[in-house]
Amino acid sequence: MSTHREREGSQNRVEANIHLLGELVAEKNRDSKEKIKMIEDLKILSAPDDALIKLAMLRMDTQQLVDTLPAKQEIIADIIRRYAIETEIDENFLRQMLIIADRHLKTPEEERDEEFLRQEQEVVTNVINSLNDRRARERLTRENEQKHEVEISGGRVFNFFVSQDGESVRMDLPIITDPNKTRVAIGPEAVVEILGAKLTFEDYDRIAETLLSFKGGVGRVIRAYAFAVETWADLSSQGFDASETRDSRRLRSYAIRKTFNGEDPKIGPFVDIPLNSIFTYVTKRYPLIALKNPPQPFSE
C-alpha cells in the first residue's frame, strides 16, 4: 500500500511533466512560427509551379500546427494525468504525442468507441515504454561517465562528462538565461546574458588544458584539431599558403562538433566554447596570428 508521501511525490512528478509539456509546446510554437517566417522570406520569384505548391503546402501545414497546438497541449496534458506519466518527458515524447492528439481532434467525442480507446492505450503504452527506455539508458550512461570540472572566472564551474567508452562528451554549464527557452540577441554580449560574463583567455586556457587531457576517442578528436590548428598556424605565421591546412582545421572542427553532439541545434552554439578554447590556446604562441581579444560564443 502506498503512503500519502509516495502518492504526493507521484502526483508532483506528473504535474512537473505538465509544466515541462508547456515549455516544450512553447518551444515548438516558437520554432514553427520562425519556420513560417523563413518560408515567407524566401520570396521565390522563379520556380517550378510544383515547387511553389509544395512550399505553400508546407507553410499551410506549419500554420495549422501553430493553430492547433493549444488544443493538442490540453489533450496531451490529459493523457499525462490519466496515465500518471512520471518519467520526465522529452521532445521525442511530444512529437509522438502530437500524432495522438491530432487523432483526437479529428475524431468527435461521440465517435471515440472502445476500439478508439484500445488503440490509444496501445500507442500511449508504447510511447511511455520508449520514454522509459531512453531515460534508463541515459541514467546508465551518466552513472558511468567521467566528470571533469573546470573553474573559470567569476567562480563559475564548467563540467565536462566523458562517456565510459570515451567516444562522446557532454557539457554542463551554469546557464543564466537558456537561449532555447528565452530569445537572446546574437552578438558579443550574448555570452553575458547566457553565462553571466564573458570568457577570458585564462578561462580558455583552463578549458583547453582539461579537454586535451581526455582519453579515448574524444581526446583523439580534440588533439587532432589542436594539431591541425598548430600546423595551420606554423605555415601561416611564416607567410606560406596554408589553404590546405586551413581546410584540414575546419574538417577537424566539424569532428569536434559531432563529438560534442553539436548537430543538435540546442547544443550547437555552446560547442563554440571548446573550439574557441583549443584555437586560442594553440595560437597564442604565434604573435602574428594570436587574437587580441578572446572570441565569445553565441556571437556572429
Side-chain angles (χ1 to χ4, degrees):
M1 180 180 296
S2 62
T3 65
H4 172 72
R5 181 172 294 179
E6 288 172 339
R7 289 193 298 273
E8 188 177 65
S10 174
Q11 184 177 358
N12 288 342
R13 287 189 291 273
V14 170
E15 290 305 314
N17 270 338
I18 300 297
H19 178 76
L20 180 53
L21 171 66
E23 293 183 350
L24 291 171
V25 168
E27 185 179 309
K28 178 73 69 176
N29 182 60
R30 185 187 70 232
D31 291 346
S32 298
K33 287 181 177 178
E34 287 186 3
K35 183 176 180 180
I36 291 171
K37 187 177 184 305
M38 288 172 63
I39 293 171
E40 292 173 342
D41 287 347
L42 285 175
K43 295 185 175 65
I44 297 177
L45 300 177
S46 59
D49 288 344
D50 59 341
L52 292 174
I53 291 172
K54 288 178 181 177
L55 198 62
M57 291 294 292
L58 177 60
R59 190 209 179 285
M60 186 175 67
D61 290 344
T62 308
Q63 184 62 57
Q64 184 180 37
L65 173 61
V66 170
D67 295 341
T68 58
L69 268 177
K72 289 178 178 178
Q73 180 178 347
E74 289 185 14
I75 292 168
I76 297 171
D78 177 63
I79 290 174
I80 290 173
R81 289 193 176 101
R82 280 195 287 119
Y83 287 83
I85 301 175
E86 299 179 30
T87 304
E88 183 181 313
I89 63 174
D90 57 15
E91 202 276 334
N92 282 323
F93 172 89
L94 175 62
R95 187 184 301 116
Q96 294 169 307
M97 294 303 292
L98 284 172
I99 297 172
I100 299 173
D102 190 56
R103 183 166 175 258
H104 270 259
L105 290 181
K106 291 177 179 177
T107 308
E109 194 165 350
E110 61 272 13
E111 295 180 17
R112 297 175 194 171
D113 54 15
E114 289 185 6
E115 179 61 17
F116 177 93
L117 296 175
R118 186 195 66 77
Q119 290 179 359
E120 177 202 87
Q121 182 176 19
E122 181 178 332
V123 174
V124 172
T125 299
N126 288 337
V127 172
I128 294 172
N129 288 339
S130 177
L131 174 65
N132 289 336
D133 287 345
R134 283 198 303 279
R135 291 306 188 196
R137 287 196 298 272
E138 287 175 8
R139 284 194 298 273
L140 183 61
T141 298
R142 295 191 176 193
E143 285 172 0
N144 294 297
E145 289 175 330
Q146 184 177 11
K147 180 179 178 182
H148 299 263
E149 288 187 0
V150 184
E151 186 171 345
I152 64 167
S153 57
R156 295 171 293 173
V157 177
F158 284 10
N159 290 312
F160 297 90
F161 297 87
V162 180
S163 62
Q164 185 180 31
D165 62 8
E167 297 302 316
S168 62
V169 61
R170 65 182 180 88
M171 295 180 284
D172 182 18
L173 311 180
I175 296 173
I176 304 297
T177 301
D178 189 341
N180 295 304
K181 296 179 180 178
T182 304
R183 189 179 296 278
V184 176
I186 298 301
E189 298 302 320
V191 66
V192 177
E193 191 171 350
I194 295 170
L195 296 177
K198 291 186 177 182
L199 296 175
T200 67
F201 281 125
E202 291 75 18
D203 293 336
Y204 282 141
D205 282 351
R206 294 190 186 99
I207 294 169
E209 287 168 0
T210 298
L211 299 181
L212 289 167
S213 72
F214 288 170
K215 296 180 173 60
V218 170
R220 287 192 293 274
V221 167
I222 291 170
R223 288 187 290 275
Y225 174 65
F227 178 76
V229 171
E230 184 176 40
T231 302
W232 166 81
D234 269 336
L235 294 174
S236 295
S237 63
Q238 297 179 53
F240 294 110
D241 178 9
S243 55
E244 287 189 13
T245 55
R246 185 186 300 110
D247 291 341
S248 175
R249 187 193 83 201
R250 287 172 179 165
L251 284 172
R252 291 182 178 182
S253 75
Y254 297 147
I256 284 188
R257 288 194 177 278
K258 185 174 182 180
T259 300
F260 278 83
N261 196 25
E263 294 161 330
D264 184 334
K266 295 180 182 179
I267 298 174
F270 291 91
V271 182
D272 284 348
I273 294 171
L275 285 171
N276 289 347
S277 299
I278 300 299
F279 185 85
T280 59
Y281 182 77
V282 172
T283 57
K284 69 180 181 181
R285 300 195 297 272
Y286 300 88
L288 297 178
I289 293 174
L291 301 173
K292 292 182 173 59
N293 299 302
Q296 301 301 323
F298 322 113
S299 302
E300 288 184 317

